[in-house]
Amino acid sequence: MDRRIGAAAVFLLAIFQFACDGGTEKKTSEQQPVEASGAEKSEVQPESHSDAALDALAEQYVRLVLTLGNHDKSYVDAYYGPAPWKAEAAQDGASPAELANRAERLLAQLPDSVEPAGDLNTQRQHYLKTQLKAVAAHAHHIADAGFRNFQKEARALYDTEPPVQQYADFDPVLAALNQALPGDEPLHFRVQAFREQYRIPEDKLDSVFKAAIDECKKRTQAQIQLPKNESFRLEYVQDKPWSGYNWYQGKAHSLIQINSGLPIHIDRAVDLGCHEGYPGHHTYNALLEEKLVNDQGWVEYSVYPLFSPQSLIAEGSANYGIELAFPGDEKTRFEKETLYPLAGLDPAGAEKYQQVLDLLAQLKFAENIVAREYIDGDIDRDEAIERFQKYTAMSPEKAAQRVQFVDTYGAYVINYNWGKQLVKEYVEQGAESHGERWQKFSRLLSSPRLPSSLNW
C-alpha cells in the first residue's frame, strides 16, 4: 500500500499490556516471468538450525493469524501456506477474546526477553514474540473497540514509538511552498492547479506504468538477484482508500493494483512501480518466501498479518526503495526522457515540479498529526479533512480519501514516513557507497528483522 487492503473500517486500538493509497476493474495487463540476470546476489544469512519446538509454535501462530482474519477481513494481507490450514481456520468459531488468550498462551512459551544477536534463530525467536504481541493487541481491540489512542496503537501493533510533532514544525515548509507557488487562493488549491499540468491522461496510464515498472525492475535486478520465474499482474481499479496495492500470491507472483479513481500524476508512476513492485513489496515478499519459507522452512512467513510490526519494515523499505533505485536527479531525468513523452506531457517544467514535490514530501509527517488528533477524538471527520488540506496541501478529494484510509487502517499511516526514516537510517549507517546500501537493503528484505531488531 500505498499498499494495504481496503475493507470495511474495522480498526483502531485499546491500551494493552503488550504495548509499508470492491472497485471496478478497468483493464489488465500481464508481465511474463523474467529470469534473473547475473546480478549480485543478496548477502547470505548465517546458517540456521532446525528447532522443532519453534516450528510447532510457528504453525500455531499461522493458524492463529488466519483465524483472527475471520473477525477482520483486512487483517490477513497474504497467505500462501498449506490450504487445509486456511480452511480449518475459516471453520474456527473462536471469539476475538479467546484468540487473544491463545496468543498470550503462545507468548508464554517464549522467553520473557530475547537478547540482541545477529544469528537467524535469535531473530526468528524475536520475530515470533513481537508479532504475537501485536496479534494479541489486535484481538483485544476487536473484542472491545471502545477506546482509541494513536500512540498506543502504534506501539502495540508496529513495535515503535513514532515522534510526536506539532503543526508549527512545518511552517517553514509551508512558507517555502507559498513562495514557490504564489497567489491569493488557499495553498492547497494552488498546489493542485500546479500538479494538474502533470496528470497522466487515462488512456496513457498503462503505457506509462509499464515503462516505469520495467525501469524499476531493471535497476533492482542489477543489484539483487530476484527469485527465478518471479512475475506480477497489473490491474487498474477504483473506489479504494489507497493509491496502489500489492497482493502477494506466493510462488514469487503478485497482483499489483493501481487506483485510477483519483488523478494520477507523472511522479506516481515510478513511485508506485518501486513501492508496489521493485524493490518494494513484490521484491520483499518474494525474497522472504525464497530465503525464509523455502530455504529455512519457516512457515510463519507464509502469512502476513497487516496490522503487525512487519508492516513498518514492508512500507518503510518500499518507500526508501524509490530513492535507492533512483538516487539524486535520476528519477526526474528518467521521467523527462521516457515517461513525459509517453504521457504526452511537456517536460519543460519537470525540475520545478520536482522541487514542489520535494517540499510536499517534507509535509508527510504532518499527516501523522492529523491522524493522531482524529483517532484520539480531538477533531471530527470534517476538521480532519480541512487539516489535511491546510497542513499537507492535499486536494479536498485526496483529503477525504486520506480520512477514509485512517478510518480503515488507523495508525498504519506511520509506516510510510516513520518507517521510511527508520529503514533509511539502518541502510545508510556505515554504508559508504551506493552498492553497500543496496547490499544492506537486500539483507533487510531477506531477514526476520523488525523495528526493534533492525540493528541486531
Side-chain angles (χ1 to χ4, degrees):
M1 208 170 34
D2 243 48
R3 178 174 154 68
R4 305 289 64 116
I5 184 167
V10 59
F11 184 62
L12 295 163
L13 186 67
I15 306 175
F16 304 122
Q17 59 180 322
F18 303 108
C20 131
D21 273 285
T24 302
E25 180 178 325
K26 294 173 63 179
K27 42 191 170 180
T28 302
S29 61
E30 290 275 1
Q31 175 181 299
Q32 296 301 317
V34 178
E35 187 168 335
S37 63
E40 179 182 357
K41 292 188 177 182
S42 302
E43 184 172 324
V44 178
Q45 296 285 340
E47 184 177 350
S48 177
H49 303 282
S50 177
D51 184 330
L54 209 56
D55 289 345
L57 186 144
E59 177 181 333
Q60 293 306 308
Y61 161 79
V62 173
R63 291 177 178 271
L64 177 62
V65 169
L66 292 173
T67 306
L68 187 55
N70 296 338
H71 301 279
D72 179 357
K73 299 307 179 184
S74 297
Y75 188 57
V76 180
D77 190 70
Y79 177 65
Y80 49 88
W85 294 5
K86 185 175 182 179
E88 290 165 14
Q91 299 302 313
D92 190 330
S95 68
E98 170 56 26
L99 296 176
N101 289 334
R102 289 185 193 177
E104 291 158 5
R105 290 197 295 270
L106 289 176
L107 277 166
Q109 299 178 35
L110 293 168
D112 291 338
S113 62
V114 179
E115 294 300 317
D119 66 283
L120 276 180
N121 279 307
T122 300
Q123 291 179 20
R124 181 193 189 191
Q125 196 173 64
H126 175 268
Y127 174 90
L128 284 166
K129 184 177 182 66
T130 309
Q131 291 283 110
L132 277 167
K133 288 181 179 180
V135 174
H138 191 53
H140 275 301
H141 169 69
I142 296 174
D144 181 11
F147 183 84
R148 303 170 67 181
N149 182 276
F150 181 93
Q151 203 72 10
K152 291 179 172 63
E153 179 184 327
R155 187 185 310 120
L157 296 188
Y158 306 117
D159 187 33
T160 190
E161 192 77 42
V164 177
Q165 295 168 292
Q166 307 301 321
Y167 289 121
D169 297 337
F170 303 94
D171 286 346
V173 183
L174 293 169
L177 270 173
N178 272 299
Q179 186 174 13
L181 300 173
D184 297 327
E185 291 185 314
L187 178 60
H188 69 271
F189 282 125
R190 282 176 273 145
V191 168
Q192 299 316 313
F194 177 74
R195 296 197 70 186
E196 190 64 18
Q197 304 172 70
Y198 304 96
R199 179 177 180 174
I200 305 171
E202 190 171 347
D203 63 344
K204 306 290 188 183
L205 279 176
D206 198 46
S207 59
V208 170
F209 267 93
K210 283 180 178 177
I213 294 174
D214 283 348
E215 183 68 16
C216 296
K217 177 172 182 174
K218 182 178 77 173
R219 289 167 178 257
T220 299
Q221 239 178 352
Q223 303 291 338
I224 298 175
Q225 182 168 310
L226 300 172
K228 199 171 184 178
N229 297 324
E230 61 80 25
S231 63
F232 70 88
R233 182 161 57 93
L234 184 64
E235 288 183 352
Y236 300 89
V237 298
Q238 296 185 1
D239 191 27
K240 300 292 184 181
W242 35 257
S243 301
Y245 208 106
N246 178 294
W247 303 94
Y248 191 68
Q249 313 285 293
K251 297 183 179 178
H253 180 74
S254 289
L255 168 63
I256 296 176
Q257 292 183 328
I258 305 299
N259 183 3
S260 60
L262 287 177
I264 300 179
H265 302 99
I266 194 68
D267 57 293
R268 296 299 286 155
V270 165
D271 286 356
L272 290 172
C274 284
H275 185 101
E276 308 299 342
Y278 309 90
H281 294 317
H282 172 68
T283 303
Y284 177 51
N285 284 301
L287 288 176
L288 287 180
E289 180 181 18
E290 179 183 59
K291 302 297 184 182
L292 301 185
V293 178
N294 296 341
D295 292 355
Q296 299 290 346
W298 292 356
V299 295
E300 61 267 34
Y301 285 92
S302 66
V303 70
Y304 178 9
L306 183 62
F307 305 116
S308 72
Q310 188 177 349
S311 283
L312 185 140
I313 303 299
E315 301 296 357
S317 62
N319 268 357
Y320 176 71
I322 301 168
E323 65 181 69
L324 184 66
F326 291 84
D329 63 354
E330 290 186 20
K331 179 172 179 281
T332 302
R333 184 165 63 248
F334 170 70
E335 289 167 345
K336 285 180 63 177
E337 294 174 355
T338 303
L339 301 188
Y340 275 80
L342 285 173
L345 300 177
D346 183 1
E351 281 77 13
K352 181 175 181 180
Y353 182 50
Q354 188 58 52
Q355 291 170 3
V356 170
L357 292 175
D358 289 343
L359 289 171
L360 291 172
Q362 296 179 49
L363 298 175
K364 289 297 183 182
F365 274 93
E367 296 183 25
N368 293 6
I369 304 177
V370 182
R372 174 181 286 106
E373 293 177 333
Y374 180 55
I375 288 173
D376 291 353
D378 297 331
I379 59 175
D380 62 16
R381 177 183 177 82
D382 290 342
E383 183 62 26
I385 291 174
E386 289 183 14
R387 293 190 183 194
F388 275 129
Q389 294 174 74
K390 180 178 180 179
Y391 294 107
T392 73
M394 290 182 184
S395 69
E397 296 80 11
K398 181 64 177 176
Q401 184 200 43
R402 202 58 176 164
V403 172
Q404 183 188 1
F405 184 97
V406 176
D407 282 336
T408 308
Y409 302 112
Y412 195 95
V413 294
I414 69 163
N415 295 325
Y416 300 107
N417 43 52
W418 179 234
K420 176 186 175 181
Q421 182 172 321
L422 291 178
V423 169
K424 180 181 176 72
E425 290 171 355
Y426 162 76
V427 169
E428 296 185 0
Q429 183 178 11
E432 298 181 358
S433 69
H434 195 59
E436 288 176 335
R437 292 181 181 181
W438 271 106
Q439 289 176 11
K440 288 191 70 175
F441 184 80
S442 64
R443 184 167 72 243
L444 173 63
L445 299 193
S446 305
S447 77
R449 286 178 172 84
L450 293 175
S452 57
S453 59
L454 261 179
N455 294 302
W456 286 19

